[in-house]
Amino acid sequence: MSTTAAPALRAPHIVTTTAELSAAIAREIEALAPSGTAATLGLVPTMGALHSGHESLVSTAREQNDVLVVSIFVNELQFNDEHDFESYPRTLDADMEILARAGADIVFVPGDEEVYPDGRPLVKIDSGALGEKFEGASRPGHFDGMLAVVAKLLHYSMPPASVGRPVAYRAYFGAKDAQQLVLINRMVADLNYPVDVRSVPIMRTAEGLALSSRNQLLTPEQAKAALVIHRALLLVKERADRHEPLYLEDAVGLFEMEPQVELDYFELVDPRTLQELAFNCQDTPFTGEGLLLVAAEVGGVRLIDNMRLGY
Amino acid sequence: MSTTAAPALRAPHIVTTTAELSAAIAREIEALAPSGTAATLGLVPTMGALHSGHESLVSTAREQNDVLVVSIFVNELQFNDEHDFESYPRTLDADMEILARAGADIVFVPGDEEVYPDGRPLVKIDSGALGEKFEGASRPGHFDGMLAVVAKLLHYSMPPASVGRPVAYRAYFGAKDAQQLVLINRMVADLNYPVDVRSVPIMRTAEGLALSSRNQLLTPEQAKAALVIHRALLLVKERADRHEPLYLEDAVGLFEMEPQVELDYFELVDPRTLQELAFNCQDTPFTGEGLLLVAAEVGGVRLIDNMRLGY
């Protein structure tokens, strides 16, 4: 993705309260002519500190929707470490430039007191067994806190009955946070939110490293070592594409040759349920669908990545 | 409340799928003239086996709304005892007569596979500490299961964006299930559901027994003994109305004189948080607000009741 700024069509409308957000959404939808026909509304929830991966998500949502809302809220509930929360980058000015370029109509930037007026929720979303494995095992409470705020954001941006036309409502989340995406899809299904959850593919550097705001914490040498993650994913994907046995242990073996990279997990799971699949210990050809999940530490920086198989 | 049937205006429209429900709600709202003005939509979730208490709830919702939806769904998730679930009364024909008389527009009667197409939810609502006390202490999982289905029902009945007028959306729950009402209010606040939760006062027999489908399980003698519940509530309420010290132990003492009635709890709590208030051990005059909660067993039948103080 080019970093050259395209001419901004107009600055997004910034709102800080849920009442302003609802009014702005109604206004933007009503401004679309002709009334009565179907409209589309996209929401992209973010925690700010936007990079090219977010920009790709926002640009996709921009193309697919008449009205585009982006939220920026650093949600303390999903940090299991207070220092991590406090040191999380806040780069609102740079974020607004990216969002103007990507064409957001409305940017919702609420304060803590707007989102949690009564403090921490008493009635909570429980991510259950799905939220305890993989990233949840390393970050207790992370997914419950993430769902707590997504449950709110999906309601804040819901198209009001007053707009007078059918509105297809979509929410966008990056494919890189695969477990988050599965959990949000489950929450939307289990609570029957009237929203369509959509995703965009992972953005990578030319060398294959998945984009993440944490990449800037890596030395050039560590960033090079981290490329083993993509090599390992590709090794398995090529076998899957050829309907061969996957032999995940070969991919795991690649990590052993990179002493700077400490593998946490490398698993093949059902893309919908995150249930571990048995292909990694079988000689049978791969003919199904799966999601490879990987997490590793490089110089104290935790990196995650994933790849779909069979698609 | 009279049991004489008033002439039914029209039979409610019965729907069994969420798609039919949405379409029926849109149709009913659109049928209201003139378009563009505000409309009101009420939802009364029930498990059927309707009695005069439900009828009062439905009638109130009827008076307050242009379009009225009543749902009937016996939600297995909120039963912590399978036998209790299986033996729960299903009286659809009688229920429909009551709902026609009370003027429901739409009755939503989904099957299990419509509400739980994927089986039990993986992402759940956690009623937390609020759901563990009082009734939750005797019925583990009950409130989580109740919230799981209410979270869905509130979405199913949400007015669609296509109706072209502002719609005030309300959901109705009986005051008798006080803890349920508090938890639903908390869920709506914590997840920011765009709905106004409303309640109607407890219906009582002429003697004071709170209406419940369980009352039919009592012998006449047991029903008479159970009146101690109302006497105990009134004793405290009269003191509260006079701004006297409450001396809850006097109310508890009344139960000791009724050997057929086994008291579980008799507590004064904050109506919003269910936090126990300290008035029961103080000589100070009552000047605040509170909610008296009581549960007792009579001949193996669990009865609950409550009364607001300071209103």
Side-chain angles (χ1 to χ4, degrees), chain B residues 78-250:
Chain B
Q78 72 191 73
F79 288 83
N80 47 319
D81 179 274
E82 196 176 340
H83 174 72
D84 194 19
F85 169 66
E86 281 164 8
S87 63
Y88 196 86
R90 272 93 168 165
T91 58
L92 188 58
D93 290 347
D95 292 347
M96 288 308 301
E97 269 182 45
I98 289 174
L99 294 178
R101 196 162 69 215
D105 297 310
I106 302 162
V107 180
F108 177 50
V109 191
D112 283 346
E113 66 295 336
E114 184 71 11
V115 178
Y116 299 115
D118 303 315
R120 292 188 170 235
L122 278 167
V123 170
K124 289 173 285 239
I125 307 287
D126 176 3
S127 60
L130 262 181
E132 285 168 14
K133 44 172 66 173
F134 305 123
E135 289 310 289
S138 298
R139 306 179 66 187
H142 165 65
F143 287 119
D144 291 356
M146 178 277 293
L147 290 177
V149 79
V150 172
K152 287 170 169 281
L153 291 167
L154 291 176
H155 278 145
Y156 294 153
S157 301
M158 206 159 269
S162 60
V163 301
R165 59 176 85 200
V167 178
Y169 177 38
R170 295 90 175 251
Y172 292 77
F173 300 88
K176 183 163 153 294
D177 293 309
Q179 191 173 3
Q180 168 175 289
L181 187 59
V182 167
L183 274 163
I184 290 168
N185 268 304
R186 271 315 324 170
M187 179 177 77
V188 164
D190 284 335
L191 276 65
N192 295 87
Y193 271 87
V195 67
D196 180 20
V197 175
R198 297 187 173 190
S199 178
V200 299
I202 294 174
M203 294 281 291
R204 297 180 183 282
T205 64
E207 292 77 28
L209 187 62
L211 292 195
S212 163
S213 41
R214 291 175 175 174
N215 292 356
Q216 59 188 291
L217 303 172
L218 302 174
T219 66
E221 196 195 4
Q222 287 167 338
K224 197 176 164 204
L227 296 176
V228 68
I229 296 171
H230 190 231
R231 283 202 307 278
L233 291 169
L234 278 185
L235 173 70
V236 180
K237 170 143 178 54
E238 283 161 9
R239 290 175 180 169
D241 288 346
R242 292 193 299 261
H243 304 295
E244 295 174 3
L246 299 183
Y247 300 125
L248 295 199
E249 61 273 26
D250 292 346

Side-chain angles (χ1 to χ4, degrees), chain A residues 209 215-227 260 298:
Chain A
L209 188 61
N215 292 353
Q216 59 189 290
L217 303 172
L218 303 174
T219 65
E221 195 195 5
Q222 287 167 338
K224 197 176 162 203
L227 295 176
Q260 289 191 86
V298 189

Side-chain angles (χ1 to χ4, degrees), chain A residues 109-126:
Chain A
V109 190
D112 283 347
E113 66 296 332
E114 183 70 13
V115 178
Y116 299 115
D118 303 316
R120 293 190 168 232
L122 279 168
V123 170
K124 290 171 286 240
I125 308 286
D126 176 4

